[in-house]
Amino acid sequence: MTTDKQLKRAARELAAREGISYTAARRRLTSAPDAGVSASLTPTSAADGTGLEPEPPRLYPIARAVCATVCDGTAHPGALCRPWRPEDSKAAQLEVQRAARLPIGRAGELCNRFEPPTATYPEGSFFARDAIWLLDLVYAMLTDQHPELRPGRAELRAAVEADDRAAVDAVMEPLDRAAARLMTKVPEQWWGEVKPRLDAYADFVDADDREILTWQEADDRDAVGRLVAEWRRRWTPARNLNGYMDPPGVLWLAPKGWLDDLLVEQHGGHGDGARIRLTDGRPAIVYAAEWSEAGAPVAYRVRELEPGQYGNAGKLVPSFRDELVSRDQVAGELNDVA
């Protein structure tokens, strides 16, 4: 067996043994090679010389019916549990199922809802869709670090089976609100707080050795591993199809706008891009919203509107300087939307 095949086999067995993704296992073996990598981690039969596994992989049956919300496994001895997932509610619309799906699914639904495909962009905005995976990673990090933010399975199942997207949003609101408070449009906050936190979470996922209790947990762990691998890849300079080196980075502005629009839709306030008038008479445009534990926005990050020049003469255009104003400093919507 060649060294490359041995490394692949060792990575697969390490991933299965420790419950981490194949990419994380491969990276661990590459960065710190084990003395046993040159030989197989699983003892092979020396008698037949075939190099085959001495024992076939063990298969475990999975319960056919979806388990109850609280299931201790006694209902189906000798089989793995099959916890409920949104896709099990066949009567619900696809949009409702996706809105309830974590760690991958809800971010794409928010993108479709607030930046839907248009005639110009029939597949949706490229910049928006390229940021979906980033919001998925944020959801995964928040639910992993703060399990209380994960929606209750019983409440979420009832909302999905009722085919009620608003009910799903209500169950997901604590997680959405936490993501909205974390995500930002301020460069200093992104580079100083958010990115280091995601870097630390990526390191945690790579070294995660928690026991996996169900096959669905294994699927979720693999999905998070792929999100972390994408995060790593985006910060590695790469050569594009034109032969030029693409600078590393991610499109981190769009998810904040989706989350703000979602919460404004639920609790009122001014969404991303709303033109408002401040109490001192200045016109401005809402750039982002600041959220507390509950209710409408407590503050807005705005850009003052100023008369345009040249091709924008006679129009009000936003300045490039952000300003944070409290909710009390907003007098209302701007009537002149020119």
Side-chain angles (χ1 to χ4, degrees):
M1 185 181 295
T2 63
T3 304
D4 185 57
K5 289 184 178 180
Q6 293 171 354
L7 181 60
K8 290 181 179 179
R9 180 179 178 182
R12 286 195 300 269
E13 295 186 1
L14 179 61
R17 186 172 65 252
E18 300 194 6
I20 61 178
S21 66
Y22 171 80
T23 305
R26 182 72 180 253
R27 186 181 298 112
R28 185 186 300 181
L29 291 176
T30 305
S31 60
D34 195 337
V37 170
S38 58
S40 174
L41 291 183
T42 301
T44 56
S45 175
D48 55 10
T50 60
L52 300 178
E53 298 287 348
E55 296 180 1
R58 186 176 301 176
L59 301 180
Y60 295 92
I62 299 173
R64 290 180 176 272
V66 176
C67 298
T69 304
V70 287
C71 179
D72 57 2
T74 57
H76 37 261
L80 298 178
C81 291
R82 184 170 178 263
W84 173 87
R85 280 193 166 185
E87 52 266 31
D88 293 322
S89 299
K90 304 301 182 183
Q93 301 179 68
L94 179 60
E95 293 78 8
V96 177
Q97 295 179 17
R98 293 185 65 197
R101 200 174 297 162
L102 292 172
I104 295 178
R106 180 161 181 79
E109 168 59 24
L110 295 184
C111 176
N112 289 338
R113 193 186 310 182
F114 297 108
E115 294 199 40
T118 62
T120 307
Y121 300 100
E123 299 297 328
S125 170
F126 165 77
F127 298 103
R129 297 196 170 276
D130 198 49
I132 291 176
W133 68 271
L134 178 60
L135 184 54
D136 284 328
L137 180 61
V138 170
Y139 279 145
M141 180 183 70
L142 291 175
T143 53
D144 216 354
Q145 296 177 349
H146 303 280
E148 68 277 6
L149 295 177
R150 182 176 290 274
R153 192 180 298 275
E155 295 80 3
L156 189 61
R157 181 174 182 177
V160 173
E161 292 184 346
D163 199 17
D164 189 347
R165 192 178 70 178
V168 173
D169 290 341
V171 176
M172 289 282 189
E173 182 180 340
L175 178 60
D176 292 330
R177 193 174 284 268
R181 290 200 301 269
L182 175 67
M183 299 302 289
T184 180
K185 290 187 177 181
V186 182
E188 294 80 8
Q189 185 177 351
W190 164 259
W191 293 105
E193 301 177 20
V194 183
K195 183 181 181 299
R197 184 171 173 181
L198 288 170
D199 284 333
Y201 178 66
D203 294 337
F204 166 79
V205 171
D206 286 345
D208 191 3
D209 58 354
R210 290 173 296 174
E211 182 182 3
I212 297 177
L213 301 179
T214 67
W215 64 275
Q216 290 175 322
E217 289 183 19
D219 285 349
D220 291 344
R221 191 77 61 86
D222 179 69
V224 174
R226 285 185 277 115
L227 293 173
V228 168
E230 180 68 14
W231 172 262
R232 302 282 195 196
R233 187 183 70 82
R234 293 302 182 97
W235 294 105
T236 303
R239 192 175 302 277
N240 59 27
L241 296 177
N242 295 323
Y244 298 99
M245 295 298 293
D246 283 333
V250 297
L251 300 172
W252 48 272
L253 292 175
K256 174 62 173 172
W258 308 337
L259 295 166
D260 285 349
D261 290 341
L262 172 67
L263 295 174
V264 165
E265 187 179 84
Q266 297 173 356
H267 299 281
H270 304 285
D272 183 21
R275 289 173 175 248
I276 59 175
R277 186 174 296 279
L278 304 180
T279 52
D280 58 8
R282 292 180 297 154
I285 187 171
V286 174
Y287 187 54
E290 300 293 330
W291 301 91
S292 62
E293 295 292 336
V298 296
Y300 297 97
R301 189 165 293 277
V302 302
R303 290 184 173 183
E304 185 178 356
L305 291 173
E306 53 191 24
Q309 301 178 3
Y310 310 109
N312 291 322
K315 297 182 179 180
L316 294 177
V317 298
S319 64
F320 293 103
R321 185 180 67 256
D322 299 344
E323 179 182 351
L324 186 64
V325 299
S326 66
R327 180 173 54 189
D328 299 336
Q329 293 178 265
V330 179
E333 294 282 347
L334 184 64
N335 295 326
D336 180 15
V337 295

